[in-house]
Structure formats: structure tokens, C-alpha cells
Amino acid sequence: MHEVFDEFKRQLPDIDPAETDEWIESLDALVKQAGPERARFVLYKLLKRARMLQVGLPPLTQTRYINTISPEQEPDFPGDEEMEHRIRQFIRWNAVAMVVRANHHYEGIGGHLATYASSATLYEVGFNHFFRGKDDGGDGDQVFYQGHASPGIYARAFLEGRLKESQLDHFRRETKPGEGLSSYPHPRLMPDYWEFPTVSMGLGPITAIYQARFNRYLQNRGIRDTTGQRVWGFLGDGECDEPESLGALHLAAREGLDNLTFVVNCNLQRLDGPVRGNGKIIQELESVFRGSGWNVIKVIWGREWDDLLARDVDGVLVNKMNETTDGESQRLTIADGAYIREHFFGPDPRLRKLVEHLSDADLMKLRRGGHDYRKVYAAYREAVGHTASPTAILAQTVKGWALGPNVEGRNITHQAKKLTFEELKIFRDRLELPITDKQLEEDPPYYHPGMDSAEVRYMLERRRALGGVVPKRVVRGKPLPVPGDAAFAEFPKGSGKAAASTTMAFTRLLRNLLRDEAIGARVVPIIPDEARTFGMDPLFKEVGIYSSLGQTYEPVDAETLLPYREATNGQVLEEGITEAGSMASFTAAGTSYATHSEAMLPFYIFYSMFGFQRTMDQIWAFGDARGRGFLLGATAGRTTLNGEGLQHEDGHSHLLATAVPNIRAYDPAFAYETAVIVRDGIRRMFVDNADVFYYLTLYNENYPMPPMPAGVEDGILRGIYLFRKGEEGRSRVTLLGSGPILMQVLRTQEILQEKYDVGADVYSVTSYQQLRNEALGVERWNRLHPTETAKVPYVVQVLGGATPIIAASDFMKAVPDQISRWLSQPFVPMGTDGFGRSDTRAALRRHFEVDAESIAVACLNALALCEQFSPQDVAKAIADLGIDPNKPEPRTA
């Protein structure tokens, strides 16, 4: 088959074919006479020269397997390298001692030795020369530490005097207040120390990207000067297989985020084995980053290789480096000098001659670049000086570096939690520490040279020069002012006869808040390309869509009333089709009160089904980060979003929300409920400074919004209130409804009264989660205070009695069932268990049995079970109401 790439294109005209042929013939001759290695060398030179002449060629997506920065380009190292080497030795020891001691006393407590061992140099160069702190009143840098490296970060804090020995001994034992150290970076557990949760792999990189972007957002909107800040994202090469790790690289390049640096610890190993045993992960990542528009700096070889490369006149060493797979490299890591000489340098006599002056011991000392302080410093210095695009530093290291031959570079390295007595001796000797064998016999002791030692004075002075110690989480932000009454005034009045959805009502509320003089500038609307779906497109014109480039084109709707308007000071974060990216922006905005001392008020509005179900990991991390803001699940409800079908219809996000301890989840039916909840949330989060966040479901079904009954605000916030009392009848039931299904419940009330003489009180349940949480708290208090008068849960205070309760929801039955065990009367949950499907709302509600007639049958059957209604009458009602008793169960249909 003829290949289109086997011949030159004629699509574009050639103004001088003869000259072109001469260049091609010259290349042909070069390959023939000097070989492909020489031709490749010359082409690289020509491409470099073309870029120097600004010819306009795009950069290569992959370069040779050598350091990006050559020795003559390296800047002078500004510190005391020997001193910093000693500091690094102390930190390495204490990081290992902490994990080994923990697992000696508490078998299986866990911890990781190898990650920090491989990345110590990468961190220490940053700590001593680059990471800016917050002690000088500034915001400092935002550093996203690789989660498994936490022992090394704690070990440094111990040397600095920030942590005590007793705290190190409580690594991974956190239940003792003030003593425990969390396994990984967790601001929820260590709110004065860690800033960003990172250990759920992939979340650190995407969050770092959107953090850097949000820094520019604050700068361009005139809210905070972030020009002096840099975001550092530390990640592993194996972690890059997580889609979130690399999925937003294009955004960072498109936005020109030169305030962002990724440091990828390429130790070539993941948890079970090599990342790319048959390939080269650094080359693969270079292609991905360069192809995405990033500046890439490779730090592959230590200074010991410089002389060898300088004498590689035939290019055989570079070629060997290019060809050696990562699996082979890992093998060479654990090999002795004789093996290295035979298998790496041996096959080619020219290679063997390059190292004939080196002993086998010398060959074993040829380091990877990520362990060379000067090489890493040069890369960091180049990264912070680079402009117009983000930088990725790909640093080759050895997993478990310096831990000894039984751990270093082995496939089992990640799982290593302990070292034997002999292994500890080897490690101690490598680090040249004054620790005796006798001290090692029980627990490896921590080593601290003293606060007055030259090493500690040096490291503290370096931190003072950079603005203070890190990591350190500081909350200096002032509370937001309360929005004026005008923003909420219209909603208690209702809509009269006009029909509206809760989504429309919320959009109106959001526009009011954006116009509010007190907090309008702090509102951050975040939308993943669904603004028109939610009726929020008027915001495009009113406050603009944020774009670091502004708007360099005329939009196709420029002449309309609501044009698509982008601006450098735009307020809406229109994220495109990326819930993960939107959630990362929500995280950056929701933690700005701590990160930047600027409280921002984010509202992230998304397609309900694609919130918790798709980004639960990020929502959990947001809770960990003590984020504040509002999640709005629009187009919610398995029967309310009627035409979209199985993959879109959400009937379980409220169940998922109950898993997050610091979220307050609400399912409002009316506009005034939404307004009351949002107003309370603003007060609770941004005036009272509570570390909570809110989830509200919004719907696209239109119906008249009633005025707010008097005195129901407390009930709305606590989760339930009486909306409409029923008339008297021969029997009574209690009806609970949420969201649009409350309208079905109100119809049920009428059916029961008119056809069956059954009175029904209708309650609006805004939050089963809040009712459950309060009841659990009361239950626990009663259990622990058996001699005191028992408290009564709020849900029992409101609903306690003898009448059967039927609770209907557009979510799974498990949502209303959360409160059933505290109620003594019969409780019948009705919900939308099962896969969604497309049809009319009426048909779907009949299918899932949450329509008014199905709810009425449930009420009559509950009364029959209480012997207040005969089974025969229930059967007649089933027929009269058109219910098919033999249709398939919705849960499995």
C-alpha cells in the first residue's frame, strides 16, 4: 500500500526547487558518509539555530536522553553545598526513623520510605533556595507536595523546631489531640501545617494547574497582587497515568501560566514495578508536556556523566542512553560496577574505552540527575526565569535512594516500611551520623544536632530569607460582609401565578448577589459549559467571562442582547466541558480565604448527575482542604430531568453527599427555601468562618412559587417544616416531600381528602441529611450521658406521633429512609431506585411510583397495615387510580 508519508508533498508551491534539492542531497550525503548519528547531531544543531533565528519552527516534542541544561549553562550554586548535604542527611535519617519506629511499635501502621528517599534533593533545593513563605505578610508560594513524601517534610520541620519527637512518634496516630501527624497532607487534620491534599493521585497536579490559573484570575480582576507567587506541583512519573494528572496541561499552556512549575520525580517505578519497563517514561512525558505547550527541562544525569558526554565524539554514549529501556535502567541501578561495565558500556568498544579510566566502584557512583544538587538548582533557576509558558522538570531519580542494596531500586521498594538492624547500620554509615550500634538495637533514634548547630542555623536562615517556614497554612482573611436584604427580598413573596423553576430562581438570586455592593466582586460563578442550559447566559454580558487574553475576536452574536463576552477582568469561570477542571477551580476559589487571605464566594453550577458521581474524589478533597462555597446540582431529579435518559438523570447525589462530613446538603422545592439556605450559607461560611460547604439541588420543572409561610426559616435550615396542614378525615397520614416531588405530594393530599376522606399534613423536607446528622448527635449524647434527661431529636419533635409517614423523593428511597429509625410510626420511603430512562415526567413518575396516585396508594396501604383501612378498599383504590399492580419493579426494570 502506498504511504503518503513516503514522498514529499506538492500541496504547497516551492519557489526554488533546485535549492531545495541541494539541501536534500546534502543530507543524503551526510547520512551516507557519516552515518545517522552524525546526521541526527547536525539536524539538532540546525533546528536549534532555526529557533535562535526565530524562523518560527515549533519545538521538538522529544529531545535526546540527556540533560536539557548543559554544564556550561549551569549557574553558580549560591549556597553551601556541603552544609546542605549534611542537612539532607539528617532529614533522610529522621524520615526513615519515624516510619520504622511507627511500624516497630504498631505493626501495619504503614508509611513510606522510598518516595522521599528518591526526592529529597528535589525538595531541599526548593526549601533552601526557592519556596517562598508567608511570615513576611505575603501569600508565599503554593507547594503541592507529593503525598507519599510526607515523612521527609515532617523530618525537616523537626529539625526546624516546629515538631517535637513525641509528634514524630505519633506519625499516623492522630486521635491524640495536638500530637498526631497525618499520614499524608491533610489540612482537615493539621490546619496550621498542610495547605493542599494531594495523596489521591492525580488530584494534586490538576489542582495545582487551576490554582495557578486562579492566581492570575485574582490578579487580572484587581483583587490580589499575585505576581510574586509561584505554584509548585510535585508528582511522580507513575502518577502521570492518572487522567487528572495530565488532562489539564493544555489549559496551563493556553493561559501562559509561567507562574507554575511541575517537578516530576521520575524514579521509573510505580507501586508494583517499573512505570514503563519496555519504554522510557521521561521521553514519553517530555512529548506529552512539549506537545501541550510546556517548557520542559530534563534532569537525567548527575555531574559525574559530564566528562563522559564531553568525550563522546561519536555519539555512542548518547545513543546508548536513548536506547536503554527503563527496565534495563532499573536493573543497572541495583547492579555492581562489573555488570554496568559489561552490559551498559561493554557491547560497544568505543563505549568501553570511554570508561576505561574508571574503576567498578566509580561506575556505581554515576548518579542520576535528580540526586545532583547543582543540576536540580540549575533546572529550578531556569524554570522560575522562564516566561510565557509553564515548566515541567523531569528529574530522573532512584526510588529508595541511599536506603541500602536490599531496598534501593527494587520492585518492592514502595512497600518497604521497616529496615533490619544491618540495613539501618548501612544507612547510618552512608549518612555518616554519630549513632551507635547499641542505639539501633531497639528503635532507630531521631537525630537532631541542636538548635544552635551550624546546620540548623543555616536552614533557618535560608527560610527567613525566603519569607518563613513552609508548609504553613495561615488564615488571615477578613470575614465577608453580609449581602444586603435587597438580594433576597423578592423570593419570600413568591411568583404569583407565573411558573418558574428553582434553577431560574437561583439564577435570579445569583445575579442579585453579583450586583450586591458588599460582596458582588467576591462572587465566583463556575460553570462547565452549561450556562445556557441553566439560563445563566445573561451573566456573559453582565459580568463577562474570564479570559487571560481578553476577547481578540468579534463573537457571532455580537449584535444580540446577550453576546458571548470574554474579558481579562471577567468574573465567570466558563470552564468548558470539564467537571474535573471546574471542581479544581472551585477548590482554588473556595480555599482563597486561607491561600490568599481573600475570601471569595464560589458558586459551582453543574449538571447534577456529573457532580458527585464524576468528581467525588475532588469533593472529598475539598472538604479536607476546608474549602467554602456552594455546589449547585442543576437539572437534578431522576424524573424531573425527563428526556435525557439513563446517564443523565440523577437520583443518588444526595446519598453520595451524606458521605462528606462537612457538607450541608439541601433539596429545596421552592425559591424562598433556596434563598434562605444560600443566605445562611454565606453567613455561616464567610461571617462565622465555619469550615463547611453547601450542596443544593436545582430543578428545571416550572410551577408557581408560593410565598414563604411565616416562621419557617429555622425549619428550612434544620431540614423540615410544615408546609400545608390537612383537613380532618376519618384517618390521617403524614406526607413528606422534597424538590418538585413536593408538588406530587400536594396533589396526593387532595386525592386523599377528596376521594378517601383521609387527612394529610404535608411537610417540606429540605434536608434529610441535616435531620439525620442532628439525630445521630442526639443519639450519641444520650448514649454517653445515661443518667441525664434524654434529648429528643428534632425530627421526632416535628413528626413524632402515631400517623403513618409516607416520604416521597426524586432520589433513591435510601435518602428519605435516613430518618426512619428515629420514628416509631410506620414509615414508607418512596423514591427513584433504578436506572433512569427517557420519557415524559408523568410517565417517569408513574414508572418509578412517585406520582401523586402511587403515593396515595402507599398512604392507603400504610393505613391498612394499621387497620385503619381495609385491604379490599386499597385494592379498589389501586384500580380506581389506574395503578398496574403487576408491572415490573422499577429498581430492576
Side-chain angles (χ1 to χ4, degrees):
M1 181 177 178
H2 183 68
E3 294 287 344
V4 297
F5 299 110
D6 288 344
E7 62 181 29
F8 290 109
K9 284 186 178 182
R10 298 173 184 172
Q11 180 178 0
L12 300 177
D14 188 342
I15 61 172
D16 193 343
E19 182 183 33
T20 304
D21 288 341
E22 289 177 8
W23 280 97
I24 294 171
E25 290 167 2
S26 296
L27 178 59
D28 291 343
L30 180 62
V31 174
K32 183 177 181 180
Q33 295 171 14
E37 290 83 4
R38 176 60 183 167
R40 190 181 305 118
F41 181 87
V42 171
L43 286 173
Y44 274 122
K45 288 288 186 181
L46 288 173
L47 288 170
K48 176 71 173 180
R49 186 59 178 167
R51 287 193 292 273
M52 293 169 65
L53 295 173
Q54 298 182 347
V55 172
L57 286 175
L60 292 169
T61 57
Q62 192 176 104
T63 62
R64 288 166 291 190
Y65 202 64
I66 57 175
N67 295 341
T68 303
I69 301 173
S70 60
E72 75 279 0
Q73 295 173 319
E74 293 172 9
D76 292 336
F77 184 72
D80 184 333
E81 190 172 2
E82 179 56 35
M83 179 71 74
E84 295 185 26
H85 175 66
R86 290 292 297 155
I87 293 169
R88 203 157 64 248
Q89 289 176 314
F90 301 159
I91 295 173
R92 283 183 182 278
W93 176 263
N94 289 326
V96 167
M98 179 172 58
V99 176
V100 171
R101 286 164 68 104
N103 284 273
H104 179 256
H105 290 284
Y106 304 94
E107 183 71 31
I109 199 74
H112 299 276
L113 303 175
T115 297
Y116 183 75
S118 68
S119 58
T121 295
L122 304 179
Y123 284 111
E124 281 303 296
V125 171
F127 278 121
N128 287 319
H129 301 284
F130 292 96
F131 302 160
R132 292 208 56 83
K134 300 182 179 184
D135 291 353
D136 57 2
D139 295 336
D141 288 348
Q142 289 98 50
V143 184
F144 290 75
Y145 301 91
Q146 198 176 354
H148 293 104
S150 61
I153 313 304
Y154 291 139
R156 164 171 262 272
F158 170 65
L159 286 184
E160 292 170 333
R162 301 173 65 197
L163 297 177
K164 304 172 295 184
E165 280 196 22
S166 60
Q167 289 175 288
L168 298 191
D169 275 341
H170 279 80
F171 173 59
R172 293 195 167 210
R173 294 192 298 123
E174 303 172 74
T175 56
K176 186 176 181 180
E179 289 289 327
L181 300 182
S182 61
S183 53
Y184 305 118
H186 294 302
R188 168 62 46 180
L189 303 172
M190 298 179 67
D192 299 324
Y193 192 83
W194 295 116
E195 290 189 277
F196 310 107
T198 55
V199 80
S200 185
M201 292 195 183
L203 297 196
I206 192 172
T207 308
I209 288 173
Y210 280 85
Q211 180 67 59
R213 193 281 205 94
F214 192 74
N215 291 0
R216 292 286 170 82
Y217 173 88
L218 293 177
Q219 175 80 29
N220 288 332
R221 291 195 55 222
I223 292 174
R224 190 76 171 182
D225 183 0
T226 61
T227 53
Q229 296 178 277
R230 175 163 293 275
V231 177
W232 299 83
F234 285 81
L235 60 155
D237 48 0
E239 183 178 2
C240 291
D241 284 340
E242 287 285 0
E244 293 89 350
S245 294
L246 306 180
L249 297 185
H250 59 285
L251 172 91
R254 187 174 68 243
E255 297 277 335
L257 297 180
D258 52 18
N259 60 339
L260 172 66
T261 300
F262 271 15
V263 181
V264 187
N265 176 16
C266 298
N267 56 39
L268 313 186
Q269 289 181 245
R270 49 190 178 204
L271 276 65
D272 291 334
V275 180
R276 296 289 186 274
N278 296 311
K280 298 180 80 65
I281 186 61
I282 291 178
Q283 299 298 82
E284 179 181 320
L285 291 176
E286 180 186 25
S287 295
V288 172
F289 279 103
R290 284 183 177 271
S292 297
W294 286 53
N295 175 45
V296 175
I297 302 172
K298 293 194 291 192
V299 185
I300 300 178
W301 308 110
R303 70 191 73 174
E304 298 81 8
W305 293 87
D306 290 344
D307 175 64
L308 300 179
L309 286 166
R311 295 190 293 110
D312 182 29
V313 293
D314 295 319
V316 289
L317 178 57
V318 172
N319 191 51
K320 184 67 174 177
M321 291 172 167
N322 288 333
E323 292 177 349
T324 303
T325 66
D326 286 354
E328 292 173 303
S329 292
Q330 186 182 351
R331 176 72 182 173
L332 292 166
T333 296
I334 68 169
D336 59 22
Y339 183 95
I340 296 171
R341 188 182 303 276
E342 179 182 353
H343 290 85
F344 186 79
F345 294 102
D348 190 314
R350 293 172 295 177
L351 271 177
R352 185 179 287 273
K353 186 172 179 60
L354 271 179
V355 295
E356 63 183 2
H357 65 294
L358 299 178
S359 67
D360 288 351
D362 291 333
L363 294 183
M364 294 178 67
K365 294 177 183 177
L366 295 172
R367 288 180 296 171
R368 306 299 192 261
H371 301 302
D372 189 319
Y373 225 60
R374 290 179 179 270
K375 302 293 185 183
V376 174
Y377 176 83
Y380 285 15
R381 175 55 60 199
E382 174 64 23
V384 299
H386 180 76
T387 59
S389 64
T391 294
I393 296 170
L394 307 178
Q396 184 178 205
T397 64
V398 175
K399 194 158 190 174
W401 175 252
L403 291 178
N406 293 334
V407 178
E408 192 174 80
R410 303 282 177 173
N411 280 339
I412 53 86
T413 297
H414 186 82
Q415 303 303 329
K417 320 291 181 189
K418 300 179 180 180
L419 296 180
T420 66
F421 176 67
E422 291 301 322
E423 289 170 337
L424 283 169
K425 286 171 61 178
I426 293 171
F427 188 49
R428 173 205 61 190
D429 294 343
R430 284 189 173 188
L431 300 181
E432 304 172 311
L433 296 177
I435 297 172
T436 66
D437 289 356
K438 186 175 182 180
Q439 288 177 289
L440 297 179
E441 289 176 356
E442 287 295 325
D443 278 335
Y446 299 117
Y447 181 76
H448 198 297
M451 295 302 294
D452 291 331
S453 66
E455 293 89 352
V456 173
R457 291 201 309 270
Y458 180 92
M459 64 190 299
L460 291 177
E461 175 53 38
R462 293 306 309 138
R463 289 313 315 156
R464 279 192 290 270
L466 290 166
V469 293
V470 292
K472 185 178 183 180
R473 184 175 180 272
V474 180
V475 179
R476 293 191 287 245
K478 298 178 181 178
L480 281 179
V482 178
D485 292 339
F488 305 95
E490 64 186 275
F491 302 103
K493 300 174 183 177
S495 64
K497 294 182 179 180
S501 67
T502 53
T503 299
M504 292 169 60
F506 169 75
T507 300
R508 181 83 178 206
L509 173 59
L510 180 62
R511 293 173 70 185
N512 290 351
L513 292 172
L514 285 163
R515 296 165 182 164
D516 185 85
E517 292 185 2
I519 68 164
R522 301 285 170 162
V523 175
V524 184
I526 304 168
I527 310 170
D529 204 37
E530 292 281 5
R532 298 186 193 278
T533 304
F534 307 145
M536 295 179 177
D537 42 322
L539 300 182
F540 297 166
K541 180 179 181 180
E542 292 179 18
V543 296
I545 298 165
Y546 172 73
S547 169
S548 60
L549 301 175
Q551 193 163 41
T552 61
Y553 64 95
E554 184 177 44
V556 295
D557 55 4
E559 290 80 18
T560 66
L561 292 174
L562 301 175
Y564 192 86
R565 184 175 72 87
E566 299 183 75
T568 53
N569 63 347
Q571 200 159 346
V572 176
L573 288 175
E574 167 61 88
E575 299 295 15
I577 305 174
T578 168
E579 284 81 9
S582 300
M583 192 63 215
S585 277
F586 183 66
T587 300
T591 56
S592 181
Y593 72 93
T595 308
H596 295 291
S597 302
E598 296 286 355
M600 304 299 287
L601 180 53
F603 290 89
Y604 169 30
I605 309 99
F606 51 88
Y607 223 113
S608 175
M609 186 67 153
F610 307 132
F612 283 81
Q613 177 159 303
R614 177 167 288 189
T615 60
M616 182 66 172
D617 201 10
Q618 290 176 288
I619 293 171
W620 183 263
F622 185 83
D624 185 351
R626 296 174 174 260
R628 303 170 185 173
F630 291 91
L631 295 172
L632 291 307
T635 56
R638 187 150 285 157
T639 69
T640 306
L641 180 63
N642 56 315
E644 292 294 315
L646 184 150
Q647 194 64 42
H648 287 67
E649 292 169 352
D650 170 31
H652 50 275
S653 65
H654 273 288
L655 200 58
L656 299 176
T658 63
V660 184
N662 57 331
I663 201 169
R664 298 176 67 89
Y666 289 92
D667 187 20
F670 302 128
Y672 66 79
E673 293 176 349
T674 302
V676 168
I677 294 164
V678 170
R679 189 170 199 172
D680 173 73
I682 294 173
R683 176 195 59 78
R684 192 181 298 269
M685 292 183 290
F686 298 101
V687 178
D688 299 343
N689 286 318
D691 289 332
V692 298
F693 61 111
Y694 282 65
Y695 176 52
L696 282 73
T697 36
L698 305 173
Y699 299 87
N700 64 353
E701 182 174 358
N702 296 321
Y703 45 85
M705 293 290 157
M708 183 170 71
V712 299
E713 290 92 333
D714 183 62
I716 291 172
L717 299 176
R718 297 181 72 174
I720 188 171
Y721 67 95
L722 178 63
F723 177 73
R724 182 187 294 170
K725 189 167 181 61
E727 299 177 11
E728 294 300 321
R730 62 170 178 163
S731 300
R732 295 197 69 78
V733 295
T734 299
L735 294 172
L736 311 183
S738 306
I741 298 301
L742 182 56
M743 305 305 293
Q744 297 298 312
V745 168
L746 291 169
R747 278 189 53 224
T748 299
Q749 182 188 45
E750 296 171 358
I751 292 171
L752 292 174
Q753 183 67 49
E754 294 171 3
K755 294 189 175 185
Y756 304 104
D757 193 26
V758 173
D761 295 332
V762 174
Y763 289 80
S764 176
V765 181
T766 54
S767 179
Y768 286 104
Q769 180 228 31
Q770 289 299 301
L771 294 174
R772 174 180 181 268
N773 287 350
E774 191 268 349
L776 286 171
V778 168
E779 184 177 75
R780 176 182 179 274
W781 190 93
N782 290 341
R783 182 171 65 250
L784 297 177
H785 300 82
T787 62
E788 300 190 38
T789 302
K791 296 181 179 181
V792 179
Y794 179 68
V795 68
V796 177
Q797 296 176 39
V798 175
L799 295 178
T803 63
I805 297 174
I806 290 77
S809 170
D810 213 0
F811 285 81
M812 295 175 64
K813 297 179 179 71
V815 174
D817 210 25
Q818 292 178 85
I819 65 172
S820 61
R821 70 185 186 84
W822 287 282
L823 300 167
S824 58
Q825 61 268 55
F827 187 95
V828 182
M830 304 193 72
T832 55
D833 296 53
F835 285 118
R837 58 193 63 201
S838 300
D839 213 315
T840 65
R841 289 192 180 111
L844 289 174
R845 286 166 181 167
R846 176 57 59 91
H847 168 78
F848 282 106
E849 300 167 3
V850 291
D851 61 318
E853 291 77 11
S854 297
I855 299 170
V857 167
C859 293
L860 298 176
N861 186 66
L863 289 172
L865 294 175
C866 298
E867 299 182 349
Q868 298 180 38
F869 212 79
S870 73
Q872 292 76 17
D873 287 341
V874 176
K876 184 176 185 303
I878 290 174
D880 291 345
L881 294 173
I883 304 295
D884 179 4
N886 298 313
K887 78 178 183 70
E889 182 184 356
R891 182 179 59 84
T892 57

